[in-house]
Amino acid sequence: DPLAAGLYEPGLAARYVVPSGDSPDYVDNLVEIAGREDASLVWPTSDEEVVALSAARTRLLSCGITPIVSEEKVVRRSIDKPAMVALMKDAGVPVPLTAPLDGDLSMFDGPTIVRPKTAMPWNTTETRWATEPFSSSSRNGFPTSRATCICMRR
């Protein structure tokens, strides 16, 4: 992102603009830059970057670069809201009432938070409040293709 605050941080010897984390060229660019700058750590700043770095972890480590990310299976599970809610519920952690937007919404009879199923990509992330109860025939104008998970406060 050419507008990223880090590009304007004083005291940096070099600055680079790389493709977004969901670009197929992202990891290749990081490997090239890390080699040029003798960098050994990569710290992601977006969910897309976390996913890309966790998927390329073995390659990065073989190049002498340590990505500061969890294993790919952990990352993928943590950004999937329904999977994370199920994991937390199974562990006995209190969780909000959660259901797919295209499923049975009869249990949602009050203000409801509507969110995309995953935390990415950022340019499509949208949180909206539904103040009217949902019905089986209406999703209150929420597009099911973009917001596939609804949550309601307890």
Side-chain angles (χ1 to χ4, degrees):
D1 178 359
L3 299 177
L7 288 174
Y8 306 98
E9 192 71 31
L12 296 177
R15 292 169 173 81
Y16 297 93
V17 176
V18 297
S20 66
D22 57 358
S23 167
D25 299 327
Y26 174 71
V27 173
D28 291 337
N29 274 256
L30 288 183
V31 169
E32 178 193 334
I33 293 166
R36 186 178 323 141
E37 297 293 333
D38 197 28
S40 60
L41 289 175
V42 178
W43 191 296
T45 59
S46 73
D47 286 345
E48 292 86 358
E49 293 171 2
V50 170
V51 170
L53 294 179
S54 68
R57 182 177 185 81
T58 301
R59 176 182 173 205
L60 293 167
L61 290 171
S62 73
C63 294
I65 304 164
T66 302
I68 309 299
V69 294
S70 296
E71 294 178 20
E72 184 177 13
K73 68 180 181 178
V74 173
V75 168
R76 294 216 178 265
R77 186 152 199 186
S78 68
I79 64 170
D80 183 322
K81 290 180 182 76
M84 182 54 77
V85 167
L87 178 69
M88 292 170 48
K89 187 175 182 179
D90 290 347
V93 176
V95 296
L97 183 60
T98 305
L101 191 58
D102 59 356
D104 178 14
L105 304 178
S106 60
M107 77 272 289
F108 295 94
D109 60 0
T112 304
I113 300 171
V114 180
R115 296 287 314 256
K117 180 181 177 207
T118 64
M120 48 183 281
W122 286 107
N123 63 346
T124 61
T125 299
E126 180 178 343
T127 300
R128 294 172 62 182
W129 283 92
T131 55
E132 299 295 320
F134 286 91
S135 71
S136 59
S137 61
S138 167
R139 297 294 179 250
N140 296 8
F142 290 98
T144 57
S145 61
R146 286 184 60 197
T148 57
C149 177
I150 62 175
C151 304
M152 183 174 148
R153 289 188 287 177
R154 285 185 181 230

